[in-house]
Amino acid sequence: MVERLQPEIDGGRFAVKRTVGESVSITVDVFADGHDLVAGVLKYRLAGAPEGRPKAEGQGPKAEGQGPKAEGQGPPKAEGRGPREELWDEIPLTELGDDRWGASFTVTELGEYEYTVEAWIDRFGSWLRELTAKADASQDVASELLEGAELLDSLVRLKADTTSDVVSGFSRTGDVVSGFRRTDEDDDRILEIADLLRSGRPQAERVDAARDPHLRTLVAARPDRSESTTYDRVLRVTVDPVRARFGAWYEMFPRSCTSDSKRSGTFREAEARLPDIAAMGFDVVYLPPVHPIGRTHRKGRNNSLTSSAGDPGSPWAIGSDDGGHTAIEPGLGTLDDFDRFVETASHLGLDVALDIAFQASPDHPWVHEHPEWFRHRPDGSIKYAENPPKKYQDIYPFDFGSSDRPGLWTALRDVFLFWIEHGVRIFRVDNPHTKPFGFWEWCIADIKRAHPDAVFLSEAFTRPKVMRYLAKAGFTQSYTYFTWRNSASELREYLTELTRTEVMEYLRPNFFANTPDILHEYLQRGGRPAFEVRFVLAATLGASYGVYSGFELCENTAIRHGSEEYLDSEKYQIKPRNWNQPGNLKELIARVNTIRRDHPALQQNATLRFHGSSADALLWFSKKSGSDLVFVAANTTPHDMQHGWVEVPIHELGIAPDAPYVVEDLLDEATYMWRGAWNYVRLEPAERMAHIFVVRHPSVSRHP
Amino acid sequence: MVERLQPEIDGGRFAVKRTVGESVSITVDVFADGHDLVAGVLKYRLAGAPEGRPKAEGQGPKAEGQGPKAEGQGPPKAEGRGPREELWDEIPLTELGDDRWGASFTVTELGEYEYTVEAWIDRFGSWLRELTAKADASQDVASELLEGAELLDSLVRLKADTTSDVVSGFSRTGDVVSGFRRTDEDDDRILEIADLLRSGRPQAERVDAARDPHLRTLVAARPDRSESTTYDRVLRVTVDPVRARFGAWYEMFPRSCTSDSKRSGTFREAEARLPDIAAMGFDVVYLPPVHPIGRTHRKGRNNSLTSSAGDPGSPWAIGSDDGGHTAIEPGLGTLDDFDRFVETASHLGLDVALDIAFQASPDHPWVHEHPEWFRHRPDGSIKYAENPPKKYQDIYPFDFGSSDRPGLWTALRDVFLFWIEHGVRIFRVDNPHTKPFGFWEWCIADIKRAHPDAVFLSEAFTRPKVMRYLAKAGFTQSYTYFTWRNSASELREYLTELTRTEVMEYLRPNFFANTPDILHEYLQRGGRPAFEVRFVLAATLGASYGVYSGFELCENTAIRHGSEEYLDSEKYQIKPRNWNQPGNLKELIARVNTIRRDHPALQQNATLRFHGSSADALLWFSKKSGSDLVFVAANTTPHDMQHGWVEVPIHELGIAPDAPYVVEDLLDEATYMWRGAWNYVRLEPAERMAHIFVVRHPSVSRHP
């Protein structure tokens, strides 16, 4: 029996996620009736075209010429390969106890991998165990030796039935996987031993020949898999680029890149901001929608219902006479200007991420060209967006159940493809939870077949299960509740859910410290220390994190008490700033982003551990990757000093209880002499809100 | 989306188990994209013939005339019932929070039920919520009222498309489930309200009409399920007789019912033992194999390799010239005698359970009639059973992979059917883990189709996953590690695994305090107090439990130090006893079995809870069923007094912290005045090893 293969999401309905170079470690129950020994392999392969897989619900039509690229294909099917249709790579299972077995493989290519487990009765091993038990009890084993000779003959005969000469039974040494190779010489050697077992030589000599470890090795390459059992599902891994796992995002409105708040900044002007952003160490520059903005019911400053002349409107009210989702707002420049912006960013090591919001202003060309793509009221007018009693008259949602569903879905999919053609690979998707799950599952899978390097960030702030489902349905990354998790206990609980449950297999959090929609009360009231600690927490708890511009200036004025909206929000007006004004956080940001790049431990979330802390508000955690180990201490109360004792797992680090060791704060290179498991930490808001420590000790080497 | 339906075993591969009258409580995630409300139903039905279900692995041939009986059938398929093929009963889902929903149904018939979940967008509810939000904000709702009128029209139209006039939307009051019935009058009323909504009456009046709770009720019977989502699997429940859940077993060798140890007792003599067994309150009399015993390599007393004249041999060495698995050992009498024994037992309220051991002595008729049903050595001889270096020359195992597999499997299945014809419904199956899982899955399912009241107890003492798999594959009950779990901490851990994990959905433990193979050191050394406490623990921790005869006499002499085998084991010799010898436990046994029958709490394991105890070796737990609540305190150290404080969840019982209450020990009717949560208990081995308490308090009524 082969059961409970992990990781597996919803019975294999959804793929787990990895980035290139990561490994998939599986565990599985393998057992048989009776007393025979079992053996098995983890089987994996790069998947080919997805025919025969479960279809996405509500699957839309496929666009012409969007077939999978060659990289996404499995190896071609070999002729005469026997009953198995395509070649799998195989890794032997290792027994973990209690009939649980494990193995792991590394994904090296973008796209999709498949994996499953095959196991069988280890006939030779079972026979050898029986022979050994009897021989050790000085019993006559003449009959058993004859059985063994027959078994060896049959295993050599089996080989003749297959064409592959590299078979299961891989040996793994470090990172080198080498298949046992069957040779005719080995076959001859096995047959020789079979002849010896049935010969008239003394039993002791024959038993010794059977027990020879070299025979075990030869036979391991020839298992009898004719009655093997394969796990009844083939599971999938989506392999994304490293940026899907690790990246620092900076959100900015290019139109604010101007010295004149009455005129939209242009992409040309925004280019001039990029070196500063790169110098802060960000990896991704993320832009709100860059498309023409509607005029009808345009919102004025601070979300007022009427706009004044010169008000630029909300970038999310997409579409005007100048075009829709594949056009550029004229105030920002031209498509050529956009291309140049992307290119300049790229030279600075910055990826550009675009916000894709599937909704239209009443002036969007599609409103006239495709009225059937929208919902209508009984009087025939198009329904605008609402969240009763709130009304959004400047926005029409699409009707995803439109009578022309194929036309609408394909057009929306093609919006992504258009921007991919213009060099964009990262998309932040606006409110995906208000569109059908089935649309996203189809759309993302369809795009990733040709563009497995595309990254989709789900901007859904809704119920936990809906957010998780969007991640399962295909989103590469997900916004989270991080902005609303400010106390140490909230963070411990939330991060444990994200990193210690099945959720971590498919939902990659992207921790934004603020957004144009969310200025949390914690930042409104906590002053600069609040910004410092929230930045350090986002950047160290989250391998992916982001800030919305203005964060580095500690902008913290809300439109009114009790609201998370910014006063004079950039969503409705142009907002030039002095990026070097006193008190800015640019040095801290640059420092932390450098630490992130230097330390693989901070480039993933899987190893996050919270350790003991004597003060509840003093958060103390670590991340580890290979030999790289980073500890973070953070004061989560910006108005109060926190101090207390924090626990270092010195036993795991090989540090003796009475041995001194040094910890270095990577933020200021200060060093502290510590001893024993519990050591004292004091975080005074006026001085610092956090430490990022590495341990200096002979057994703990600093990366690299 | 409809996800994570629980209970579900291995993605629906296996059924959960219930007994007649029990309920199945399900929980499930139900959510949709967007903001619409959802609604749904739990659907269930008695299953018909199992065509279309996943086949058992290695499924054997079906015997003639073994089709399902009428009781096992679902309702006949109605003509013109619409897209759904068979009628389901439906229970509305109730929201539990966080997009989790729940419902439950009661199984009332033996056989197999199916269940799944269907959910849909609640269009009327969503519309009403929107209307209400806008009306409450004094917004114009003219357009919304027109939409509502159209919606009501469409729901009435939908009804015309279905033939059923009893539909989903059941209301559940207590145990009465009543379907909403659609009538033409109700349709007319809905259409009237639709007309009102689109009329020229004042908006406030029309909004009030829409909000009328009576309209909500009418509409609840007419959900628009045209775009509903059904959970993608249909799950199964095996419904067994109550005896599968609750019973006290007594194992006895009928051949020992004689006053002359040189002569086998007969069924006629064994009948005379039955009143004593019934008086002790047992429910099941379980007999080791009753078939003719082989002569070749017959084992002598104390398992010696050679037998003397008069040695009766092991009942598990089945088959001689007198017949095999469907014959009666001549020393016991005839088949008629057996039938009479079963009848007498039945009159006394005792079910007879037979031990079915699929193996043959060398003298079994099948050895000559069907040599191909056995394994052969290279020299052509048949292989006897071994567990190297141990040999069992008196037993041949069957070769389940025989070239005549259909013949062998069918013959073995027919052994059960033979004894079913002779009134036996309970089978204790010997060593099922040494036979293929696939055989059991086929054999048990095939028998239970015609005989859903059959009970199969798996006697597998092997690795946990193999034991669990046998339970999943169809065994009704399972032997456990109970005999080897003697300390309080071992019992807490083991019972938590059995009753607090998914295992409880499919594995029903039967706690034997001893067996002919297992006399635990705890009993060998612990004297009468050890027997007392192990009996009380088996009978209160396990709704099903058993003892092997001699237990009540505290027989505790092992064959040698370090062995769990009895000296002069009844397996190899006839062993008359004086059942009334001084010091016997019959009174305690009768008392506890009476308490078990009086208290539904002790007739199931699902509600077992361990409560706080200040002394680790003082086990303190409760079971609850309806208003029946029983607490047990047990001293797990037969040589030492245990005393300490035990915790009563008085808050849950509605007992004030300072209010006195009385607990009564059902074993001796002694009462104790307690107060508060923690109370003192003292268990002195010379006096008592356990209390079985009920709480006497106005709010806690004793079960009649």
Side-chain angles (χ1 to χ4, degrees):
Chain A
M1 294 300 132
V2 180
E3 296 195 312
R4 288 210 305 136
L5 176 53
Q6 295 290 338
E8 172 182 277
I9 309 302
D10 295 354
R13 167 78 176 79
F14 300 104
V16 302
K17 295 193 176 87
R18 292 294 185 276
T19 56
V20 170
E22 286 191 312
S23 67
V24 179
S25 291
I26 68 101
T27 54
V28 62
D29 289 348
V30 178
F31 56 91
D33 45 67
H35 301 292
D36 284 337
L37 299 177
V38 296
V41 288
L42 163 64
K43 306 167 63 153
Y44 70 98
R45 64 184 176 194
L46 199 57
E51 271 73 38
R53 288 209 210 111
K55 290 282 202 307
E57 286 175 56
Q59 178 149 346
K62 289 194 186 144
E64 303 293 322
Q66 292 300 331
K69 291 211 295 193
E71 304 100 286
Q73 299 276 20
K77 186 174 167 182
E79 294 296 319
R81 192 162 293 287
R84 272 165 289 153
E85 286 183 26
E86 288 176 57
L87 196 62
W88 294 86
D89 282 322
E90 299 186 335
I91 307 280
L93 296 179
T94 304
E95 192 161 10
L96 307 174
D98 190 25
D99 292 319
R100 195 84 181 147
W101 298 67
S104 70
F105 66 99
T106 300
V107 292
T108 56
E109 305 285 332
L110 289 171
E112 198 163 277
Y113 281 68
E114 296 177 334
Y115 61 101
T116 192
V117 164
E118 183 180 349
W120 53 85
I121 301 291
D122 176 6
R123 299 205 183 284
F124 180 80
S126 301
W127 169 80
L128 188 62
R129 187 181 56 172
E130 181 185 340
L131 179 82
T132 303
K134 290 178 177 176
D136 288 350
S138 304
Q139 296 180 0
D140 178 79
V141 290
S143 182
E144 286 72 19
L145 289 165
L146 293 179
E147 286 177 22
E150 281 179 27
L151 178 61
L152 292 177
D153 285 351
S154 73
L155 293 178
V156 171
R157 267 199 310 277
L158 269 177
K159 183 218 161 190
D161 299 335
T162 62
T163 57
S164 169
D165 62 352
V166 180
V167 295
S168 71
F170 286 79
S171 73
R172 197 174 161 85
T173 314
D175 283 331
V176 181
V177 179
S178 60
F180 287 118
R181 193 163 284 272
R182 295 169 162 180
T183 66
D184 290 341
E185 293 72 32
D186 290 345
D187 286 349
D188 292 345
R189 178 72 192 127
I190 293 171
L191 295 175
E192 273 171 33
I193 295 172
D195 286 341
L196 174 61
L197 296 190
R198 63 168 74 85
S199 74
R201 306 287 307 166
Q203 277 199 10
E205 182 185 331
R206 289 186 281 158
V207 169
D208 283 348
R211 295 169 85 158
D212 183 346
H214 181 56
L215 177 61
R216 192 95 184 85
T217 307
L218 293 176
V219 168
R222 291 159 184 77
D224 177 2
R225 292 164 66 163
S226 58
E227 295 181 28
S228 72
T229 300
T230 298
Y231 187 66
D232 60 6
R233 292 181 281 283
V234 171
L235 306 181
R236 293 177 290 133
V237 189
T238 299
V239 183
D240 294 311
V242 171
R243 182 63 67 234
R245 167 170 52 81
F246 169 61
W249 293 46
Y250 185 84
E251 176 174 5
M252 63 174 283
F253 285 67
R255 71 185 182 188
S256 287
C257 296
T258 170
S259 52
D260 175 4
S261 67
K262 297 195 171 55
R263 181 185 62 73
S264 172
T266 64
F267 279 123
R268 289 300 185 101
E269 290 168 292
E271 270 181 62
R273 266 295 283 150
L274 293 175
D276 196 36
I277 296 166
M280 283 189 279
F282 287 101
D283 304 300
V284 178
V285 173
Y286 145 44
L287 311 180
V290 296
H291 318 303
I293 296 169
R295 281 250 146 237
T296 305
H297 295 299
R298 174 177 285 193
K299 295 288 173 75
R301 290 176 170 236
N302 286 310
N303 202 20
S304 61
L305 283 176
T306 53
S307 59
S308 310
D311 281 349
S314 162
W316 285 271
I318 294 170
S320 76
D321 292 346
D322 296 309
H325 284 77
T326 54
I328 293 285
E329 158 68 27
L332 291 170
T334 66
L335 201 49
D336 285 343
D337 294 334
F338 175 79
D339 291 344
R340 192 178 129 147
F341 179 85
V342 171
E343 196 179 351
T344 302
S346 177
H347 287 313
L348 291 164
L350 291 166
D351 295 326
V352 171
L354 276 194
D355 190 330
I356 300 295
F358 282 147
Q359 56 199 18
S361 95
D363 309 318
H364 195 292
W366 286 347
V367 172
H368 310 289
E369 296 166 10
H370 299 284
E372 71 281 7
W373 290 359
F374 300 88
R375 286 208 181 80
H376 296 260
R377 319 182 113 217
D379 68 2
S381 64
I382 294 181
K383 289 195 83 163
Y384 49 78
E386 296 180 277
N387 186 8
K390 287 192 204 163
K391 304 180 177 199
Y392 306 96
Q393 294 98 330
D394 59 337
I395 292 171
Y396 290 169
F398 293 114
D399 178 7
F400 281 79
S402 161
S403 58
D404 179 31
R405 193 172 92 161
L408 172 63
W409 288 31
T410 306
L412 296 177
R413 192 265 327 263
D414 290 348
V415 169
F416 289 108
L417 293 176
F418 179 88
W419 295 108
I420 284 174
E421 290 301 308
H422 286 272
V424 178
R425 286 294 181 281
I426 308 181
F427 300 97
R428 176 273 201 193
V429 176
D430 191 74
N431 278 327
H433 59 294
T434 60
K435 289 88 186 173
F437 295 130
F439 169 75
W440 296 118
E441 188 166 6
W442 164 75
C443 178
I444 293 173
D446 196 61
I447 291 166
K448 286 187 73 92
R449 259 191 292 279
H451 304 285
D453 57 342
V455 170
F456 298 85
L457 167 61
S458 160
E459 190 251 4
F461 295 110
T462 179
R463 287 125 54 216
K465 281 170 189 164
V466 174
M467 291 169 67
R468 287 183 211 140
Y469 195 89
L470 288 163
K472 290 192 280 192
F475 278 93
T476 321
Q477 295 191 340
S478 305
Y479 275 69
T480 70
Y481 304 137
F482 176 74
T483 28
W484 299 287
R485 300 291 181 273
N486 289 285
S487 75
S489 61
E490 286 169 344
L491 287 164
R492 283 189 199 99
E493 183 184 352
Y494 189 48
L495 270 293
T496 298
E497 175 198 322
L498 291 177
T499 64
R500 283 283 162 273
T501 69
E502 185 190 76
V503 171
M504 72 162 296
E505 295 288 351
Y506 60 83
L507 188 148
R508 294 195 190 95
N510 192 330
F511 290 144
F512 269 77
N514 67 328
T515 81
D517 299 318
I518 313 170
L519 172 66
H520 192 277
E521 185 187 22
Y522 186 92
L523 295 176
Q524 295 176 33
R525 293 161 169 257
R528 193 179 198 278
F531 283 79
E532 286 175 12
V533 69
R534 291 301 291 175
F535 178 79
V536 170
L537 287 173
T540 56
L541 287 171
S544 293
Y545 82 98
V547 297
Y548 155 55
S549 60
F551 186 94
E552 69 268 48
L553 305 181
C554 304
E555 291 178 354
N556 67 350
T557 310
I559 190 168
R560 64 177 171 276
H561 181 72
S563 170
E564 295 183 345
E565 286 284 339
Y566 280 89
L567 177 67
D568 299 331
S569 169
E570 207 170 356
K571 291 189 285 187
Y572 311 105
Q573 67 190 67
I574 290 157
K575 199 165 179 178
R577 298 176 178 90
N578 169 14
W579 298 107
N580 295 314
Q581 74 183 39
N584 72 63
L585 297 177
K586 288 165 71 172
E587 193 181 317
L588 173 69
I589 290 171
R591 185 91 199 173
V592 170
N593 280 331
T594 299
I595 295 169
R596 282 167 50 89
R597 288 183 181 171
D598 287 347
H599 286 273
L602 297 176
Q603 297 171 13
Q604 48 79 48
N605 301 329
T607 61
L608 175 67
R609 278 174 69 189
F610 294 99
H611 301 278
S613 164
S614 68
D616 182 65
L618 182 61
L619 200 64
W620 174 240
F621 60 90
S622 73
K623 285 182 164 183
K624 188 176 193 309
S625 178
S627 63
D628 186 40
L629 173 64
V630 174
F631 287 89
V632 176
N635 173 358
T636 57
T637 58
H639 295 293
D640 297 308
M641 186 269 283
Q642 290 292 338
H643 68 134
W645 297 79
V646 295
E647 186 175 24
V648 177
I650 54 170
H651 180 71
E652 297 170 25
L653 303 183
I655 299 173
D658 56 353
Y661 54 97
V662 172
V663 295
E664 176 186 338
D665 186 345
L666 299 171
L667 289 170
D668 61 4
E669 293 176 4
T671 58
Y672 305 83
M673 178 72 78
W674 282 8
R675 189 189 297 262
W678 291 85
N679 291 276
Y680 180 76
V681 165
R682 182 177 187 281
L683 293 167
E684 165 61 63
E687 294 165 8
R688 61 169 67 78
M689 289 297 285
H691 291 296
I692 302 179
F693 284 132
V694 288
V695 178
R696 303 288 184 215
H697 179 266
S699 73
V700 181
S701 63
R702 185 186 186 182
H703 182 86
Chain B
M1 295 299 132
V2 180
E3 295 194 313
R4 288 208 307 136
L5 176 53
Q6 295 290 339
E8 173 183 277
I9 311 300
D10 295 354
R13 167 77 176 81
F14 301 104
V16 302
K17 295 192 175 87
R18 292 292 186 276
T19 57
V20 170
E22 286 191 311
S23 67
V24 179
S25 291
I26 67 102
T27 53
V28 63
D29 289 349
V30 178
F31 55 91
D33 46 67
H35 301 292
D36 283 338
L37 298 178
V38 296
V41 287
L42 163 64
K43 306 167 61 152
Y44 69 100
R45 64 185 176 194
L46 199 57
E51 271 73 39
R53 287 209 209 111
K55 290 283 200 307
E57 285 174 57
Q59 178 148 345
K62 288 192 187 148
E64 303 293 323
Q66 292 299 334
K69 290 212 296 195
E71 304 100 285
Q73 299 276 22
K77 185 174 167 181
E79 294 295 319
R81 192 163 292 289
R84 273 165 287 153
E85 285 183 27
E86 288 175 57
L87 197 61
W88 295 85
D89 281 322
E90 299 186 337
I91 307 279
L93 297 178
T94 304
E95 192 162 9
L96 307 174
D98 190 25
D99 292 319
R100 195 83 180 148
W101 297 68
S104 69
F105 67 100
T106 300
V107 292
T108 55
E109 307 283 334
L110 289 171
E112 197 163 278
Y113 281 68
E114 296 176 334
Y115 62 100
T116 192
V117 164
E118 182 180 347
W120 53 84
I121 300 291
D122 176 6
R123 300 205 184 282
F124 180 80
S126 302
W127 169 80
L128 189 62
R129 185 181 58 172
E130 180 185 340
L131 179 81
T132 304
K134 290 177 177 175
D136 288 349
S138 304
Q139 296 179 2
D140 178 78
V141 290
S143 181
E144 286 71 19
L145 288 165
L146 292 180
E147 286 177 22
E150 281 179 27
L151 178 61
L152 292 177
D153 286 351
S154 73
L155 293 178
V156 171
R157 268 199 311 275
L158 268 177
K159 183 219 160 188
D161 299 335
T162 62
T163 57
S164 169
D165 63 352
V166 180
V167 296
S168 69
F170 286 80
S171 74
R172 195 175 164 83
T173 314
D175 282 323
V176 181
V177 178
S178 60
F180 286 119
R181 193 162 284 272
R182 295 168 164 181
T183 66
D184 290 340
E185 294 72 32
D186 290 345
D187 287 347
D188 292 344
R189 178 72 193 127
I190 292 172
L191 294 175
E192 273 170 32
I193 295 172
D195 286 340
L196 175 61
L197 297 190
R198 64 168 73 84
S199 74
R201 308 286 307 167
Q203 277 199 10
E205 181 186 329
R206 290 186 280 159
V207 169
D208 284 347
R211 296 169 84 157
D212 184 346
H214 181 56
L215 176 60
R216 191 95 183 84
T217 306
L218 294 175
V219 169
R222 292 159 181 79
D224 177 3
R225 290 164 66 164
S226 57
E227 295 181 28
S228 72
T229 300
T230 298
Y231 188 66
D232 59 6
R233 292 181 281 283
V234 171
L235 306 181
R236 294 177 290 132
V237 189
T238 299
V239 183
D240 295 310
V242 171
R243 184 62 68 234
R245 167 169 51 81
F246 169 61
W249 292 46
Y250 185 84
E251 177 173 4
M252 63 174 282
F253 285 67
R255 70 183 183 190
S256 288
C257 296
T258 170
S259 52
D260 174 3
S261 68
K262 296 198 170 53
R263 180 185 62 74
S264 173
T266 65
F267 279 122
R268 289 299 187 101
E269 290 168 291
E271 270 182 58
R273 267 295 284 152
L274 292 174
D276 196 35
I277 296 166
M280 283 189 280
F282 286 102
D283 305 299
V284 178
V285 174
Y286 143 44
L287 310 180
V290 294
H291 318 303
I293 297 170
R295 281 251 146 234
T296 305
H297 295 299
R298 175 178 284 192
K299 294 290 172 76
R301 292 177 170 236
N302 285 310
N303 202 18
S304 61
L305 284 177
T306 54
S307 60
S308 311
D311 282 349
S314 161
W316 286 270
I318 295 169
S320 76
D321 291 345
D322 296 308
H325 284 77
T326 55
I328 293 285
E329 159 66 27
L332 291 170
T334 66
L335 201 47
D336 285 342
D337 294 334
F338 176 79
D339 291 344
R340 194 178 125 148
F341 180 85
V342 171
E343 198 180 349
T344 303
S346 178
H347 287 312
L348 291 164
L350 290 166
D351 296 325
V352 172
L354 276 194
D355 190 330
I356 301 294
F358 282 147
Q359 55 200 19
S361 95
D363 309 318
H364 196 292
W366 286 347
V367 172
H368 310 288
E369 296 166 11
H370 298 285
E372 71 280 8
W373 289 359
F374 300 89
R375 286 208 181 81
H376 295 261
R377 318 183 114 217
D379 68 2
S381 64
I382 295 181
K383 290 194 83 163
Y384 48 78
E386 296 178 277
N387 187 9
K390 287 192 204 163
K391 303 179 177 199
Y392 306 96
Q393 294 96 331
D394 60 337
I395 292 171
Y396 291 168
F398 293 114
D399 178 7
F400 281 79
S402 161
S403 58
D404 179 31
R405 193 172 93 162
L408 173 64
W409 288 31
T410 305
L412 297 176
R413 191 265 326 264
D414 289 348
V415 169
F416 289 107
L417 293 175
F418 179 88
W419 295 108
I420 285 174
E421 290 301 309
H422 285 273
V424 178
R425 285 294 181 282
I426 307 182
F427 300 97
R428 175 273 200 193
V429 176
D430 191 74
N431 278 328
H433 58 294
T434 60
K435 288 88 185 172
F437 294 131
F439 169 75
W440 295 118
E441 188 166 7
W442 164 76
C443 178
I444 294 173
D446 197 60
I447 291 167
K448 285 186 74 92
R449 259 190 293 278
H451 305 285
D453 56 343
V455 169
F456 298 85
L457 167 60
S458 160
E459 189 251 6
F461 294 112
T462 180
R463 286 125 55 215
K465 281 169 190 165
V466 174
M467 291 168 68
R468 287 184 212 139
Y469 195 89
L470 288 163
K472 290 192 281 191
F475 278 93
T476 322
Q477 294 190 341
S478 305
Y479 275 70
T480 71
Y481 304 137
F482 175 74
T483 29
W484 299 286
R485 299 290 181 272
N486 289 285
S487 75
S489 61
E490 285 168 345
L491 286 164
R492 284 189 198 99
E493 183 185 351
Y494 189 48
L495 270 292
T496 298
E497 175 199 322
L498 291 176
T499 64
R500 282 283 163 275
T501 68
E502 184 190 75
V503 171
M504 72 162 295
E505 296 288 351
Y506 60 82
L507 187 147
R508 294 194 190 95
N510 192 330
F511 290 144
F512 269 77
N514 68 329
T515 82
D517 300 318
I518 312 171
L519 172 66
H520 193 276
E521 184 187 24
Y522 185 91
L523 295 176
Q524 295 177 32
R525 293 159 170 258
R528 193 179 198 278
F531 283 79
E532 287 175 11
V533 68
R534 292 300 292 175
F535 178 79
V536 171
L537 287 173
T540 55
L541 287 171
S544 292
Y545 82 99
V547 297
Y548 155 56
S549 60
F551 186 94
E552 68 268 48
L553 305 182
C554 304
E555 291 179 354
N556 66 349
T557 310
I559 189 167
R560 64 176 172 277
H561 181 73
S563 171
E564 294 183 345
E565 286 284 339
Y566 280 89
L567 177 66
D568 299 331
S569 170
E570 210 169 355
K571 290 188 286 187
Y572 312 105
Q573 67 190 66
I574 291 157
K575 199 165 180 178
R577 298 176 178 91
N578 170 14
W579 297 108
N580 295 314
Q581 74 183 40
N584 72 65
L585 298 176
K586 288 165 70 172
E587 193 181 317
L588 173 68
I589 291 171
R591 186 90 199 172
V592 170
N593 280 331
T594 299
I595 295 169
R596 282 168 49 89
R597 287 182 181 172
D598 288 346
H599 287 272
L602 297 176
Q603 297 171 13
Q604 48 79 49
N605 301 328
T607 62
L608 175 68
R609 277 175 70 189
F610 294 100
H611 302 278
S613 164
S614 68
D616 181 66
L618 182 61
L619 200 64
W620 174 241
F621 60 90
S622 73
K623 284 182 163 182
K624 188 176 192 310
S625 179
S627 63
D628 186 39
L629 174 64
V630 174
F631 287 88
V632 177
N635 173 358
T636 57
T637 58
H639 295 293
D640 297 308
M641 186 271 282
Q642 291 291 339
H643 68 134
W645 297 79
V646 296
E647 187 177 23
V648 177
I650 53 170
H651 180 71
E652 296 170 25
L653 304 183
I655 299 173
D658 56 353
Y661 54 98
V662 171
V663 294
E664 177 186 336
D665 186 345
L666 299 171
L667 289 171
D668 61 4
E669 294 177 4
T671 57
Y672 305 84
M673 178 72 79
W674 283 8
R675 189 189 297 262
W678 290 86
N679 291 275
Y680 180 76
V681 165
R682 183 178 186 280
L683 293 167
E684 164 63 59
E687 294 165 9
R688 61 169 67 79
M689 289 297 285
H691 291 296
I692 302 179
F693 284 132
V694 289
V695 179
R696 302 289 182 215
H697 179 265
S699 72
V700 182
S701 63
R702 186 186 186 182
H703 181 83

